[in-house]
Amino acid sequence: MRWIMIYEAKICFVVRLCWLQSVVALAMIGGSRVRLNTWQQTAVAVGSAVGALLDPRRADLIAALGETTGKPAFERVLERMRQSTEGRAVLLERPRVISANVGHAWDLPPNTFGAAYARFMGSRNFSPDDRPPVRFMETDELAYVAMRAREVHDFWHTLFDLPTNLIGESALKVIEFEQMYLPMCMLSVIGGTARFNPKQRNLFYQHYLPWAIRAGMQCTDLMCVYYERHFDEDLEELRRKLGIFPAPAAP
C-alpha cells in the first residue's frame, strides 16, 4: 500500500506542477502586458518559481517571478530615480539597451566602459536584444523600470568584473538585492547556492559573498545611472566615480 501512496503523491505533484506551468504559459502569451488579479498573480509567481528552480535557464520564468513579486521594490526604485538627476533623465528619455542603441560601443577605445561592455558581450556571444519583455507591471513607468533593471544587468557584470558562471551570477544577485530589495534576487541566490558543489559553496561563502555584501552597500544607487552617457569614459575612472570595486581574484 505504501508504494501506491507514494505513486499517487508523485502523480499529484506532477499534475499540480503542470497546472502551475500552464497558468504561467497562458499569462505570458503574446507580447503585450497582462493585468492579473491577486489570485492570478500568486499563481504565476508560484508557477514561475517552481519552473525556474527546475530549469534555471528559463529567463522568461525568472522574469515573471521578478515582476509578480517585485512591485513594491520597483516602486521604491522608481521614487529614487525621480529624486536623482540622472535617474530623472533615464525616466524622461527611456533609453533601451538594444543593439541599435549600443552598437557603437564596439568602436570605442579599449580603455572605455563601452568597449569593456562590448568585450564582455562579444566574448560570450550575448545579444542585448535577448531580454524577455515586461508583462506584469500595471503602469508604463513601472514597466520601464523593471525593463531597465533587466537590461542593465550586463553593465553591472562589466563594472564589477563578474563572470557569468553560477558563482558570478549568484554574487551579482546579492548586489542586486542590496540595490533593489527584489525578492527574486534572494530566491535566485538560494537556488543558485543549492546547486553548488562543496568546493563552489566554500568559495562563494568565504570569498564572494562578503565582497558582494560590501560592494552592494558601498557603491552608488546603480539604477540612477545613465550608463549610455558614460560609454566613452575610462572604465577605472567610472568605477571610482560610482564607488565600485571589482570582484577580487579567487584564491
Side-chain angles (χ1 to χ4, degrees), residues 114-131:
Y117 165 71
R119 288 193 298 272
F120 170 84
M121 298 294 282
S123 65
R124 292 161 175 81
N125 200 27
F126 287 173
S127 169
D129 304 322
D130 289 341
R131 300 290 179 188

Side-chain angles (χ1 to χ4, degrees), residues 7-233:
Y7 183 71
E8 290 177 345
K10 289 182 178 180
I11 292 176
C12 290
F13 173 77
V14 171
V15 170
R16 289 172 182 168
L17 177 59
C18 291
W19 174 78
L20 285 170
Q21 290 181 327
S22 67
V23 170
V24 176
L26 287 172
M28 297 177 70
I29 290 175
S32 59
R33 295 210 310 275
V34 180
R35 288 187 177 275
L36 303 175
N37 59 36
T38 303
W39 180 89
Q40 292 170 325
Q41 194 169 24
T42 301
V44 172
V46 174
S48 57
V50 172
L53 284 173
L54 293 176
D55 186 358
R57 296 168 298 180
R58 289 289 301 275
D60 55 338
L61 295 180
I62 295 173
L65 177 62
E67 293 170 35
T68 52
T69 62
K71 180 183 175 184
F74 285 126
E75 288 175 337
R76 291 190 294 268
V77 171
L78 173 60
E79 188 57 34
R80 296 203 311 266
M81 293 177 73
R82 288 171 174 165
Q83 303 302 318
S84 162
T85 301
E86 282 198 30
R88 285 195 300 271
V90 170
L91 291 175
L92 178 64
E93 300 179 17
R94 296 190 181 183
R96 293 293 311 279
V97 186
I98 56 177
S99 297
N101 296 341
V102 300
H104 65 286
W106 274 254
D107 300 322
L108 292 172
N111 64 304
T112 61
F113 165 54
Y117 165 71
R119 288 193 298 272
F120 170 84
M121 298 294 282
S123 65
R124 292 161 175 81
N125 200 27
F126 287 173
S127 169
D129 304 322
D130 289 341
R131 300 290 179 188
V134 173
R135 291 193 170 95
F136 304 119
M137 286 291 141
E138 295 177 0
T139 67
D140 290 342
E141 206 164 28
L142 277 178
Y144 176 74
V145 172
M147 192 73 238
R148 182 68 174 174
R150 195 170 296 166
E151 291 183 341
V152 299
H153 178 84
D154 290 323
F155 291 157
W156 295 5
H157 265 292
T158 303
L159 288 167
F160 287 102
D161 196 21
L162 279 169
T164 52
N165 56 24
L166 192 56
I167 289 180
E169 292 291 356
S170 297
L172 188 54
K173 281 290 181 281
V174 173
I175 295 173
E176 290 180 347
F177 179 77
E178 291 196 329
Q179 286 282 312
M180 296 182 284
Y181 296 106
L182 282 170
M184 178 271 296
C185 294
M186 186 53 63
L187 291 173
S188 296
V189 173
I190 295 171
T193 54
R195 296 192 297 276
F196 287 164
N197 60 41
K199 182 178 179 180
Q200 291 173 319
R201 189 170 292 109
N202 289 335
L203 181 62
F204 180 76
Y205 284 115
Q206 295 179 13
H207 186 74
Y208 282 97
L209 181 59
W211 164 81
I213 293 173
R214 293 195 306 271
M217 293 176 62
Q218 294 180 6
C219 67
T220 190
D221 190 338
L222 297 174
M223 284 297 293
C224 295
V225 178
Y226 202 142
Y227 295 95
E228 295 85 342
R229 292 183 176 179
H230 300 282
F231 267 20
D232 60 351
E233 294 183 24

Side-chain angles (χ1 to χ4, degrees), residues 110-114 116 159 220 225 230-246:
N111 64 304
T112 61
F113 165 54
L159 288 167
T220 190
V225 178
H230 300 282
F231 267 20
D232 60 351
E233 294 183 24
D234 181 83
L235 175 61
E236 296 305 323
E237 289 183 8
L238 180 60
R239 283 171 172 161
R240 285 192 290 271
K241 183 188 301 184
L242 301 180
I244 289 175
F245 53 99

